Every structure is written in structure tokens, then in C-alpha cells.
Amino acid sequence: MTRRIKLEDDYRELQLGVGASLEEVKSAYRELAMFWHPDQFHDRPGRLARAHEKMTRINLAYERIRKELAHQARSRLSTARTKSPSPHSRTGHRPSTAWTNSLGMKFVSVPGTSVLFCVWETRVQDYATYAQAAPGVDASWKNPGFSQTGTHPVVKVSWEDAQGFCRWITQKERQEGKVPAVAQYRLPSDSEWSWAVGIGDRERDGTPRDKGKRLKDLYPWGTAWPPPQGAGNYDPCLGTDSFDYTSPAGSFEPNLQGLFDLGGNVWEWCEDFLNGTSGVRVLRGGSWNFSGPDHLLSSYRNGVAADARSSGIGFRCVLDGMAI
């Protein structure tokens, strides 16, 4: 009975009656997604957070209904997951040297930058250690709206929350002698993130907004559309993976820099303002509930208010002032 009530709520979220066909569901989803997509609200920063939350509810409702109606697609995705190799057995490119911090976060150097990138998005277990040690941390991350384990990327963290984590671990590891006094953890700059995803040498000058979508038909997995199976954790309607929501760190192949999930799983905060000087902050990489060709481009920049929290937003750390 509970499951049926939830589905009725999902149909209402898509403004449909119970029993609508899959084609009707897809059509309603597309219309609502176009209206509520955060890109439509860049000139109204005060409504960006609401747009992200509404977009998340729409995506969750669509996915639950789709799972009920599209049995063949669900079976195909389940088979794909069974065949997916363990991240520990993969033979893709790895940097020759990696450094591990006190929380078990692994960092590698990225050509074109002077920082070390964490190979994973910040995980639930990393953020939980911070929240336990630092009283007053906002607790939204504990309620993502779906089940997560410690190795999943933490979500519902704002740009300001991510800054707090970086300040805490910097102070912690300086005191422990784990990093030198000049080293600091922080969010990557927009430019550094571009180097990490492999397009840093192709972008011209300009603000993050200026650079957004300049490089057409270039994605974290290559140039093909749609993304192939195993390309990453994207919206279930694309059929790339079997995860309904976030996926554990290291579930897919790393890129040539040895970094995981530069495309999909969760949006990643960057230091920069979208327009270069003020307003909303930059998000890169797409997430588990996005599917549009433009939104998944390596060059695409999203932007939301610094205090926004969403089940599709997380962050990745870099370490500045540390050599390996």
C-alpha cells in the first residue's frame, strides 16, 4: 500500500493521472524539466535553490514510474550492472604516484595545474568524520532522500558547507604534521577542473559562463551521443548504468588523469563565480539525474547560489601547496 501511495504522489508530481502510459510520462517529464531546469533561473538567483529541488523531485518521480512501466529497460540495466567489473580490477590509466590523506582520500597530480586532485568526490564517510568533529555542521547531508553507504558521494552540501570541510581538514592535517603549513585543501578553480576533465588546453579566455558549451560534442567519455553503457552514473533514462541514484566512488573507469566521476554522479562545486565576479557559484560535471546533451558536455557550467543544497550536488577537493 505504501508503494502504491508513493506512485500516486509521483504521478501527481508529473501532473498526470495514475495509469498514464510511458509515453505520456516521458512527455510530461520533458515539459516540466524544461520549465524547471536551473538554467532558466540564472537571472533569478533567489529561485535557483527551489528550481534544483523541484528538478530533483521531478526526476525522482519520473524514475520511480519508469521503473514500474519499463521492465525491459530495468532488466537490461540490471544485466549491465552484473557484468560491470570491480573497480579494483580495472586496468585503465593510473598516475604513477598517489598520495593518501588521514581520511583515506587519494590525491594525484593533474597536468596543467599545480594542485593535487582527489580521485573521488568527497564521500559520505569523509564528511561524517568532519561533521562529528565540528559542532554546528548543517545536517541536510544525512537525509539525501535515498539510501547511501559511506563510499557514496556526500550530497545536499552547499558551497559554504564544502568550504567548511576544506578549512577543517586543512587545520587538522597541519596540526598532525600530515601536510606542510603552506598546504591547504580547497575547491578546484573552474580552470583547474577543466584541466582535470581534459579540456584545459582547448579553452580560450573568459568567465566560466563565457566558456560554457563552447566545445561542442566533447564529453567526459568521448564524442559520441548518447553515452555508452558504463560511461558513468547519469539519469536512468539514458541507460548507461544500473544505479537509481548516486553510485559508490570508483564504480566506473577513471579518466586519463586517474580521476573518477568527472562526468555524472553528482555536480561538483568550484571556487569561481559563474560570471567571474559575483552572484552564483560554478558547478561542473553533471549528475545522476541529468540527461541533456548540453548539460553533460565537458565544457558545460551550471551555477547556483552558494547556500543551495540538493541531492544532486556534492564536491571534490584539491590540495594546494603539496608536492608528491
Side-chain angles (χ1 to χ4, degrees):
M1 180 64 70
T2 301
R3 183 177 181 183
R4 179 177 178 81
I5 292 173
K6 180 173 287 188
L7 277 175
E8 290 176 354
D9 291 341
D10 290 336
Y11 277 107
R12 280 195 291 270
E13 187 69 56
L14 296 184
Q15 301 178 13
L16 292 170
V18 176
S21 69
L22 182 58
E23 288 306 312
E24 291 172 326
V25 170
K26 288 181 177 180
S27 177
Y29 168 75
R30 284 193 294 267
E31 291 180 9
L32 288 169
M34 288 178 64
F35 180 83
W36 283 105
H37 193 277
D39 278 359
Q40 308 297 326
F41 296 88
H42 280 150
D43 58 344
R44 289 171 284 175
R47 298 190 65 188
L48 273 172
R50 182 188 174 195
H52 267 278
E53 290 300 328
K54 181 66 173 178
M55 192 70 197
T56 295
R57 292 200 304 272
I58 292 168
N59 276 304
L60 292 177
Y62 168 71
E63 169 57 11
R64 282 191 287 258
I65 296 171
R66 186 195 66 80
K67 286 177 66 179
E68 284 291 312
L69 302 178
H71 298 293
Q72 291 182 356
R74 181 175 58 184
S75 176
R76 177 170 57 85
L77 294 179
S78 179
T79 301
R81 183 175 183 180
T82 301
K83 294 180 179 179
S84 179
S86 165
H88 301 293
S89 65
R90 291 178 178 163
T91 58
H93 173 81
R94 295 288 195 281
S96 58
T97 304
W99 179 83
T100 304
N101 75 359
S102 62
L103 299 184
M105 300 166 66
K106 294 184 178 181
F107 290 77
V108 296
S109 59
V110 170
T113 78
S114 60
V115 300
L116 304 180
F117 266 79
C118 186
V119 301
W120 303 304
E121 293 159 333
T122 303
R123 301 164 298 181
V124 170
Q125 65 191 41
D126 307 321
Y127 202 80
T129 303
Y130 158 58
Q132 185 175 11
V137 173
D138 184 89
S140 298
W141 66 275
K142 294 182 178 180
N143 300 292
F146 43 82
S147 178
Q148 288 189 305
T149 69
T151 60
H152 282 243
V154 68
V155 296
K156 287 196 173 180
V157 286
S158 68
W159 184 90
E160 295 162 345
D161 296 333
Q163 294 287 346
F165 175 87
C166 290
R167 288 191 297 270
W168 168 78
I169 194 170
T170 296
Q171 181 180 16
K172 173 183 181 293
E173 296 200 341
R174 283 177 179 175
Q175 292 175 347
E176 295 171 349
K178 184 71 173 177
V179 300
V182 296
Q184 67 168 338
Y185 290 89
R186 59 172 173 81
L187 297 177
S189 69
D190 179 73
S191 176
E192 290 166 342
W193 202 98
S194 286
W195 282 98
V197 80
I199 61 173
D201 59 343
R202 307 186 193 189
E203 292 194 314
R204 302 189 301 273
D205 293 337
T207 68
R209 186 191 292 275
D210 294 335
K211 297 175 184 178
K213 296 188 286 187
R214 271 184 183 167
L215 300 177
K216 300 295 185 181
D217 302 321
L218 188 59
Y219 300 96
W221 62 84
T223 59
W225 183 266
Q229 285 193 6
N233 182 6
Y234 297 104
D235 188 278
C237 70
L238 291 176
T240 60
D241 63 281
S242 61
F243 295 101
D244 295 330
Y245 308 109
T246 57
S247 53
S251 294
F252 303 92
E253 290 281 1
N255 71 0
L256 292 178
Q257 321 299 342
L259 306 177
F260 297 89
D261 296 321
L262 264 293
N265 217 5
V266 296
W267 289 101
E268 300 180 10
W269 289 110
C270 291
E271 284 282 351
D272 307 62
F273 291 108
L274 187 63
N275 71 2
T277 57
S278 62
V280 297
R281 298 284 180 173
V282 172
L283 290 170
R284 301 287 298 269
S287 69
W288 59 269
N289 57 357
F290 272 70
S291 60
D294 283 351
H295 308 137
L296 303 188
L297 288 168
S298 294
S299 60
Y300 182 76
R301 274 79 168 174
N302 198 350
V304 300
D307 60 355
R309 298 184 179 92
S310 166
S311 58
I313 297 177
F315 68 100
R316 183 187 305 263
C317 293
V318 299
L319 181 54
D320 200 353
M322 178 81 173
I324 56 174

